Amino acid sequence: MADKAKSAPQAVKKPAVAKPAAKKDAKPKAAGEAKKKVKLLPAVPESWLKLGKGKKGSRPNLLLQRRKVRAVRLLRRKQNLLRAHNYEKRYLKTERGVVEQARIAKAKGNIYIPAEPKVAFVIRIRGINKVAPKVRKVLQLFRLRQINNGTFIKLNKATKNMLRIAEPYITYGYPTLKSVRHLIYKRGFVKHRHSRIPITDNFVIERKLRGHRLQCVEDMVYHIYTGGACFKKVSNFLWPFKLNTPTGGWRKKNNHYVEGGDFGNREDKINELIQRMV
């Protein structure tokens, strides 16, 4: 009986022997699964995915910026139209004032003498051959380094003497409002970072002259024509005008305008020359 009791537990332990065999069978299955789980290259490069995520994140900010820019443009457009309208009123007021004063003087038997012009437009008509040092320096100060270059100059005692020194090489006169507008709108270029940039929109002016409360082309026209407080800033901001040879050509550059030539003071006749050169 004791032998039977000892053999019974041995029969119970037999199924436990199959465990290591199960472990051996599990290893090849795991290896097979590992072979199936091979990492494939992504269809889209990872750098592109990162860029896409960044754009999605910044899209709301871009939309806000665009709306702000659009709102500023609309506001500036309204402001610029109002400014142009106010400047037109001022021009008409000054013209009517001159006419009324002339009528009053005539009624009293007097002669009305209008105020002297404040601004002149100077054009270089001769080249660099045999130029005296003093004349060369004056032309350099006027920024007239090439033939047919033109600039606006504020008239005072110093500039009048300089015009007299360089007179054989230049012609000048007193531009009208129409001529000033025509030059700036058609041949206007500005100076930005030592480069010549065309005036494509008012923001080109605003980013440079915002500190002087100038934001559109009409502001520049007003300060140039009237010789206003910001004349120097606006004149230096404008690149010297590069004009064409006048249609029909010059008459005689070596003679004064009064003698049938070209150089010297033309007064109001400069406007006719500007129309031919623009």
Side-chain angles (χ1 to χ4, degrees):
M1 291 295 288
D3 296 333
K4 285 182 183 178
K6 285 178 185 177
S7 61
Q10 285 177 5
V12 173
K13 287 180 183 178
K14 280 181 183 177
V17 181
K19 285 181 181 178
K23 286 181 183 177
K24 287 179 183 178
D25 295 338
K27 283 181 183 177
K29 286 182 183 178
E33 286 174 6
K35 286 179 183 178
K36 288 178 183 177
K37 291 179 180 179
V38 177
K39 283 187 177 180
L40 298 172
L41 291 171
V44 181
E46 194 173 349
S47 58
W48 289 17
L49 292 170
K50 285 180 181 178
L51 284 170
K53 284 179 183 178
K55 285 179 181 178
K56 281 180 182 178
S58 63
R59 191 175 178 185
N61 296 330
L62 286 171
L63 291 171
L64 280 172
Q65 286 176 2
R66 285 174 187 171
R67 285 173 188 170
K68 285 179 182 177
V69 169
R70 198 177 298 163
V72 168
R73 281 179 179 171
L74 288 170
L75 180 65
R76 289 288 184 272
R77 195 178 294 169
K78 289 177 183 178
Q79 289 175 350
N80 295 340
L81 286 170
L82 282 170
R83 284 180 174 230
H85 187 60
N86 291 333
Y87 289 142
E88 282 296 328
K89 285 182 180 179
R90 290 184 194 179
Y91 299 143
L92 289 170
K93 191 177 179 181
T94 52
E95 285 178 11
R96 285 171 185 169
V98 170
V99 172
E100 284 175 9
Q101 287 176 355
R103 283 176 183 168
I104 291 164
K106 189 177 180 182
K108 291 181 179 179
N110 297 327
I111 297 171
Y112 172 72
I113 298 172
E116 289 186 1
K118 297 178 182 178
V119 177
F121 186 69
V122 186
I123 302 170
R124 181 167 180 170
I125 61 170
R126 291 179 69 183
I128 59 172
N129 292 339
K130 299 180 181 179
V131 181
K134 195 178 280 188
V135 176
R136 190 187 295 115
K137 185 64 177 176
V138 170
L139 293 171
Q140 183 184 339
L141 291 170
F142 284 162
R143 300 187 299 158
L144 301 173
R145 296 180 177 275
Q146 296 175 331
I147 296 176
N148 298 337
N149 274 14
T151 54
F152 291 105
I153 290 167
K154 201 170 187 177
L155 292 173
N156 51 40
K157 188 178 178 181
T159 53
K160 284 177 182 176
N161 290 333
M162 290 166 73
L163 287 169
R164 203 172 289 118
I165 289 167
E167 200 171 37
Y169 292 84
I170 58 174
T171 184
Y172 62 97
Y174 315 126
T176 58
L177 177 62
K178 184 184 175 183
S179 297
V180 173
R181 267 194 186 139
H182 199 49
L183 281 165
I184 292 175
Y185 275 99
K186 199 163 184 181
R187 287 301 178 95
F189 285 78
V190 296
K191 191 163 45 178
H192 181 66
R193 293 178 183 175
H194 308 287
S195 299
R196 185 170 176 258
I197 295 171
I199 304 172
T200 50
D201 60 357
N202 289 318
F203 284 99
V204 175
I205 298 160
E206 186 180 353
R207 75 182 170 196
K208 192 76 174 179
L209 302 176
R210 190 183 302 160
H212 303 282
R213 297 180 182 178
L214 304 175
Q215 64 183 38
C216 63
V217 179
E218 284 300 321
D219 291 336
M220 295 175 71
V221 171
Y222 175 76
H223 283 279
I224 289 288
Y225 177 64
T226 60
C230 296
F231 176 87
K232 187 178 178 181
K233 290 286 179 186
V234 174
S235 181
N236 289 335
F237 182 49
L238 283 168
W239 197 277
F241 296 94
K242 294 187 176 184
L243 305 174
N244 297 323
T245 304
T247 52
W250 301 102
R251 294 190 294 181
K252 196 171 184 182
K253 290 183 181 181
N254 295 331
N255 288 4
H256 197 281
Y257 182 73
V258 177
E259 299 170 352
D262 288 308
F263 76 79
N265 190 1
R266 297 177 178 237
E267 297 186 357
D268 296 333
K269 300 294 182 183
I270 193 73
N271 299 297
E272 184 186 344
L273 181 65
I274 289 167
Q275 294 298 320
R276 288 164 55 204
M277 293 183 77
V278 171

